[in-house]
Amino acid sequence: MTALLLLYGEMFIRFFLVGLFAIGGGLATLPFLVDMGEVTGWFTQLDISNMVAISESTPGPLGINMATYIGFQISSNYGALAGILGAIIAPLGVITPSVIIIIIVSKILNRFKDSKYVQYAFYGLRAASFGLIVSALLSVAKIAFIGTESGFSLESINWLCLVLSVIIFTVTMKFKKVHPILLIVFAAVMGIIFKM
Amino acid sequence: MKTLINLFLVFARIGGFTFGGGYAMLPMMQKELVEKKKWVSNDDLLDYFAIGQCTPGVIAVNTATFVGYKTKGLLGALSATLGVITPSIIIIGCIAAFISNFQDLEIVQHAFGGIRAAVVALILSAVLKVSKKSIIDIFTVIVFLAVTLLSVFTDLSPVIFVIAAAVCGIIIKLRKEKTSLKEKEGDR
């Protein structure tokens, strides 16, 4: 029992540190997790690649998914219930620093939002934010239509995926009321039917 | 209290249907937060994403905390943040407990082939919506192109881009102010 509580405590602190130092979201947590595995022996490199695959094939933020998965794996030696509690404690550790820091930033921004310097900074910042989103879009598109290999040839294009994507894009433009959830479910069903 | 429950539920919905993390949340957030609930504007979302990039932690969590705090203070921040992580905990918990090779299941892989296609289309249409507000003049076009190209072709951290763009924004605007002041004086 004490061993389990100590494990939870250590887990919370270690994941708190990951949340505190991983800047840039999602995959930025990866190097920290690799390090955690090496230091604690809680999981191996193979576990990590497994965990990334699972996190990417389930909904939700990547960093949170990975923390949940590891939290369960580490503490499930003590039984399923202990595992579930571990799966809650690890992600809570990851989000705690975020919540504290963002609330502080929000307070500062609220105070200075009328300052012209802040407004000028946001003028540049929004364009950069937009650029980052577009580059994320490009990398998602590459994985969806070409795959993870680095080479590019006409044969490697996944035409089925491309067509589905064009259809869904057209729907979002023509029928603005359609909810993204519906389109995601539709796409998943299409993927299964046409073996994408 | 009602708003708090609402925040939790809306963010749980966002967390439960976002595949691919971070930026893939943009279309869902636009739909739920900007269009349906009107808690924040498209501009706000872009700001949160940018700041979420340079502050530590998971971007989706950072954005949830921002929106929750803006809508309902500290408790709002907590509700939204717990909401966005709850589906992950439930889904991953079940998979970790019961399915040992979830990601290798053929049906999962096919479903994901389809979902990825949808995610590309959804992000693209979300991007078009925010472009009108963020790309407004030649300077913003240059910043946008520079950041996109640099993040595609280099391994530089996004933190650098965001900070550099903010500094450039201040410098450019201040210079514009100066020249327009001079013009006014010249008129006299």
Side-chain angles (χ1 to χ4, degrees), chain A residues 54-153:
Chain A
I54 291 179
S55 301
E56 283 184 334
S57 15
T58 42
L62 217 61
I64 299 300
N65 290 356
M66 293 200 279
T68 309
Y69 188 76
I70 299 176
F72 183 89
Q73 294 293 356
I74 300 169
S75 46
S76 61
N77 297 337
Y78 294 89
L81 204 69
I84 292 169
L85 207 59
I88 295 172
I89 290 171
L92 285 182
V94 172
I95 67 167
T96 307
S98 283
V99 172
I100 297 170
I101 291 168
I102 295 294
I103 286 175
I104 295 171
V105 172
S106 287
K107 278 197 190 281
I108 295 173
L109 278 183
N110 277 346
R111 182 166 305 166
F112 294 105
K113 67 173 176 237
D114 296 325
S115 139
K116 72 176 182 189
Y117 293 101
V118 171
Q119 283 171 0
Y120 292 172
F122 273 114
Y123 160 76
L125 203 108
R126 269 176 210 152
S129 183
F130 184 70
L132 289 171
I133 298 172
V134 169
S135 80
L137 170 67
L138 293 176
S139 69
V140 179
K142 186 190 166 287
I143 294 170
F145 303 144
I146 305 172
T148 42
E149 288 82 28
S150 54
F152 172 78
S153 65

Side-chain angles (χ1 to χ4, degrees), chain B:
Chain B
M1 194 61 205
K2 214 178 147 205
T3 322
L4 290 181
I5 296 172
N6 247 328
L7 270 169
F8 181 88
L9 290 178
V10 165
F11 273 95
R13 200 147 57 215
I14 293 172
F17 281 92
T18 309
F19 295 87
Y23 293 118
M25 296 216 154
L26 185 63
M28 285 288 291
M29 288 189 171
Q30 233 170 25
K31 189 74 183 180
E32 293 283 346
L33 306 177
V34 181
E35 289 169 20
K36 280 171 80 177
K37 298 285 180 193
K38 299 191 170 62
W39 282 333
V40 292
S41 67
N42 270 325
D43 270 7
D44 291 334
L45 279 188
L46 274 181
D47 296 351
Y48 298 157
F49 270 112
I51 299 170
Q53 273 287 358
C54 341
T55 46
V58 183
I59 297 177
V61 170
N62 293 352
T63 315
T65 310
F66 261 127
V67 176
Y69 188 79
K70 185 180 182 235
T71 316
K72 207 75 190 158
L74 184 63
L75 286 176
L78 290 177
S79 309
T81 309
L82 291 179
V84 87
I85 67 168
T86 301
S88 288
I89 294 178
I90 296 173
I91 295 169
I92 298 276
C94 289
I95 290 174
F98 301 116
I99 314 172
S100 58
N101 55 347
F102 174 79
Q103 72 279 21
D104 299 326
L105 296 177
E106 213 177 318
I107 189 165
V108 173
Q109 286 181 351
H110 291 321
F112 265 84
I115 287 173
R116 272 196 289 271
V119 169
V120 174
L122 289 171
I123 300 182
L124 179 60
S125 82
V127 158
L128 292 179
K129 279 185 212 164
V130 292
S131 66
K132 290 166 213 148
K133 283 290 187 68
S134 54
I135 307 302
I136 40 182
D137 52 21
I138 186 77
F139 167 72
T140 43
V141 170
I142 293 171
V143 171
F144 153 62
L145 287 177
V147 170
T148 309
L149 292 175
L150 284 173
S151 51
V152 169
F153 293 109
T154 69
D155 289 331
L156 289 173
S157 158
V159 182
I160 298 171
F161 304 142
V162 173
I163 294 172
V167 172
C168 290
I170 295 174
I171 295 172
I172 294 278
K173 279 279 195 181
L174 285 178
R175 284 192 61 174
K176 265 189 200 162
E177 248 179 25
K178 254 189 200 161
T179 46
S180 66
L181 264 177
K182 269 185 194 154
E183 274 168 17
K184 267 183 199 160
E185 278 169 11
D187 285 348
R188 270 180 212 157

